Structure formats: structure tokens, C-alpha cells
Amino acid sequence: MTHPEPETTPVLALEEVSKSFGAVRALRGVSLRLYAGEAHALAGENGAGKSTLIKALAGVHRPDAGTVLLDGAPVEFHGPADARDAGVAVIYQEPTLFPDLSVAENIFMGRQPRRSLNRVDHRAVKQAAADLFARLGVDLDPDQPARGLSIADQQLVEIAKALSFDARVLIMDEPTAALTGSEVARLFGVVKTLREQGAAVLFISHRLEEIFALCQRVTTLRDGALIGSEPLEGLTEDDLVRRMVGRDLDELYPKQETEAGEVALQVRRLTREGVFTDVSFEVRRGEIVGLAGLVGAGRSEVARAVFGVDRFDGGEVEVLGTRLKPGAPSVA
Ligand SMILES: Nc1ncnc2c1ncn2[C@@H]1O[C@H](COP(=O)(O)OP(=O)(O)OP(=O)(O)O)[C@@H](O)[C@H]1O
Ligand SMILES: [Mg+2]
């Protein structure tokens, strides 16, 4: 599939990159070009090679073959610090901040402005962090300890840190997997701001609607091979799924006729205070029951309580007629 790309030189690119782990060919001659001011999605099923591609871009893996190009010139990153110094920042799903340091200290770890006698200039550190948050348009307290920050806030601290290194490329490997709906919206606002300031963004998500909401271009991988790289405009979610799996959705999940049998799992008025209230449903043998709701609606919490990982305050769970004790995973 060929599609016109911007005529400018990509900020960061891979040309014909291959990477194997033993017998697994994780990337097979994959090319990808990231442009300033563009958010680029990387799509593909589990194991398609997305994280491997990111690690090749970020200096974590050395490609077996092919080239990484920075501003059109071949580069070799000998580790993540090399990539970072070249302006390539990776934001992971769960950042690893130092819990006992403040937000500002985390951002400027090891390179705080100093005053006479080599003392850290705490005021300057705090001000610099506040300036970064202002550029991102987020409201975070630079003095707050990193301990206790939500994952979403920790990611924003990482993004501020990337900005402090003048990152021109922001790479995000499934950053939204553990975020609530409003946190995703805030992150997308920040990414849009950075993009408008000229950053190139590479974004991985399993949620197609997020790809369409955030990105202008998409590259699809299947089994380590490049399927295509194209603008998202004019594509539908079905088009994208077809590229990812190589088949239509209804072939992928053919409707199966089954007979629902006796009630296997019965959940009655299950309540955990402040988390979920009066949840009742049943699952019969031979049946697949979906538990739907928005991010943050309490689906995982209900499942954890039903399984016995978390306690619940009211209601009951029965498996094949036997009532389970709350808060004890059972072998039923
Ligand atoms: N360090 C490694 N050692 C051995 N095999 C690996 C390693 N990293 C990845 N692989 C294999 O390479 C293939 C691609 O993995 P990769 O993690 O890049 O996929 P992915 O597209 O990110 O998948 P997911 O959506 O599950 O995160 C998989 O078969 C995986 O098992
Ligand atoms: Mg991955």
C-alpha cells in the first residue's frame, strides 16, 4: 500500500528494520516515518511487534538489519540515554518515578540548577517544573511527593521530563491502558498541545476509537511485517481491524449457536461501599456474558469481588448453588 507522505524530512524513521529473538521474527523489514506535528498510531494484534519497534526506535534494541534515521541521517543509539539525548522520549504504561522525591526533583533528577557552594537551587527547580506544566496546560504541584500520584499524573510528570530534555519525538506504548476516561481526555489534550508545538508522536493503543481520536496517520503490523502506513482520514474501524487481522470482523468472531444450560454463577445484589452497588447477574453453562461499562464504571472491581480477590460488603455469590465466602478466592 502506498500513500503520499509529507514532503518534509521525517524527524525519526526506521528503514527496513528487522529484529529477531531466537526463532521469533519480531520485525521483518519494517519502515516507519514520524513527522513533526503529527500523531502516528501503531496498530497490530498482540505479538505483532509494536513494542519491539518502539524499542528499536528508542535505543533499547539494536536492529539486526536496517537503519534508524534522525532528521534524515542514519544514527545508532547505544541505549535509551542516547535516544533521549537526541530528543526521543518514551512514556511507558506505568512510569517508574522515585516515590520519595518531589515531582520537580523527579523531572530534574541529577541536573538540578545549583547555587553557590553547589547547593541545589530548590526555587529554580520548582519554577522550572511549574513552567513545564504551564506549557503542557496541566495543573500539578511541583512540590508534591511522587508517592501517591495516580498513574495518569505520573505519566504527565514523565512527559514534563521529556519536555525538559527538549524531546521532539514522544513515543507512548499503551499509555491509556490503566487510565480512566477523564484521564485519557486530559492526556490527549496534552499530546495535542505538544503536537501543535511541533512534536512528532507515536502512539500505541488497543482501543481503536483512541487511535481515531488522537492520530493523523497509522502504521499497521501483522506478525512482524509491515501491512501499510496511511492517513486515518477516510479509514473506518473495520478497515483498521481488517489490516490488523487480515480478515473481516464477522469471520474473526463467527456467531456460535449454543444451548444455555443451568445457572453456573449467580451474583445477587453485590455491593462494595463506594465502589459498586446492588450488582446482580447470572451466567449459565455454555454462555458468554459480557460485562459492559465505561472505564471506571467498576467492571474490574465487580469481577475481582466475584472471584474473591477483593472483599464485598453486601450481597452474595453462588457457584453451582454453593455460596462463596466473601474475600477468599475459591476453588469452586
Ligand atoms: N525480549 C524478547 N525476547 C524474546 N521474544 C520477544 C522479546 N520481546 C518480544 N518478543 C517476541 O516478539 C514478538 C513481538 O512482541 P512485541 O512485544 O513487540 O509485540 P506487541 O505488538 O507489542 O504485542 P502486545 O500488543 O501484546 O504488547 C512476540 O512474539 C514476542 O513474544
Ligand atoms: Mg507491546
Side-chain angles (χ1 to χ4, degrees):
M1 247 179 295
T2 51
H3 286 270
E5 299 206 356
E7 289 186 357
T8 50
T9 306
V11 186
L12 187 65
L14 293 178
E15 295 294 342
E16 299 285 326
V17 162
S18 297
K19 177 79 193 173
S20 294
F21 301 102
V24 179
R25 296 178 66 195
L27 294 176
R28 309 165 185 236
V30 174
S31 302
L32 171 134
R33 301 179 189 96
L34 301 178
Y35 295 94
E38 216 175 61
H40 194 129
L42 189 55
E45 290 191 282
N46 293 114
K50 304 180 297 296
S51 295
T52 305
L53 184 151
I54 279 186
K55 289 174 183 162
L57 277 176
V60 178
H61 289 325
R62 265 181 93 153
D64 302 333
T67 321
V68 182
L69 298 156
L70 185 69
D71 294 318
V75 279
E76 273 188 40
F77 295 138
H78 301 280
D82 254 13
R84 185 197 62 199
D85 292 343
V88 179
V90 186
I91 310 299
Y92 290 100
Q93 205 179 88
E94 307 226 350
T96 46
L97 299 181
F98 292 92
D100 295 325
L101 298 184
S102 74
V103 160
E105 287 164 341
N106 265 287
I107 294 174
F108 293 102
M109 260 297 284
R111 49 197 180 106
Q112 289 108 321
R114 308 233 167 216
R115 293 190 305 173
S116 56
L117 298 174
N118 207 26
R119 274 195 303 235
V120 171
D121 185 346
H122 289 289
R123 263 232 318 250
V125 172
K126 181 177 164 185
Q127 187 56 49
D131 291 346
L132 291 170
F133 290 139
R135 258 182 79 190
L136 295 174
V138 295
D139 190 19
L140 273 180
D141 175 6
D143 278 337
Q144 189 179 348
R147 184 186 304 288
L149 285 182
S150 65
I151 285 177
D153 284 347
Q154 293 178 45
Q155 287 175 345
L156 294 178
V157 174
E158 290 282 3
I159 292 176
K161 186 169 182 171
L163 263 195
S164 77
F165 277 102
D166 294 323
R168 296 183 302 146
V169 180
L170 194 66
I171 299 177
M172 296 187 291
D173 197 349
E174 301 204 45
T176 60
L179 268 47
T180 65
S182 62
E183 289 170 339
V184 171
R186 185 178 57 155
L187 176 68
F188 282 14
V190 167
V191 171
K192 183 161 181 280
T193 303
L194 288 172
R195 191 166 68 68
E196 286 167 355
Q197 292 171 6
V201 178
L202 182 60
F203 174 75
I204 296 183
S205 172
H206 277 107
R207 302 185 191 138
L208 300 187
E209 74 273 15
E210 292 185 351
I211 289 179
F212 281 93
L214 188 74
C215 300
Q216 289 72 54
R217 186 174 293 278
V218 59
T219 290
T220 311
L221 298 179
R222 198 192 306 151
D223 296 329
L226 176 69
I227 300 302
S229 200
E230 60 202 309
L232 274 159
E233 201 178 326
L235 278 191
T236 64
E237 291 200 7
D238 280 358
D239 294 332
L240 204 48
V241 169
R242 217 172 293 124
R243 288 176 186 33
M244 285 163 58
V245 303
R247 274 166 297 169
D248 280 329
L249 253 192
D250 48 358
E251 291 176 54
L252 189 63
Y253 301 114
K255 186 87 190 142
Q256 289 182 352
E257 294 303 325
T258 55
E259 285 282 306
E262 60 179 319
V263 175
L265 173 69
Q266 176 91 54
V267 175
R268 282 194 209 93
R269 307 205 62 173
L270 200 66
T271 297
R272 178 163 183 189
E273 266 154 41
V275 186
F276 51 82
T277 312
D278 270 352
V279 176
S280 303
F281 59 89
E282 59 181 37
V283 184
R284 293 172 174 275
R285 281 186 187 275
E287 201 178 47
I288 300 175
V289 175
L291 193 54
L294 292 176
V295 176
R299 295 161 303 181
S300 312
E301 289 78 1
V302 167
R304 288 173 63 90
V306 168
F307 186 68
V309 181
D310 291 343
R311 66 181 172 81
F312 49 88
D313 304 314
E316 55 192 41
V317 178
E318 275 178 25
V319 175
L320 295 171
T322 308
R323 196 164 154 181
L324 302 189
K325 271 191 283 182
S330 308
V331 225

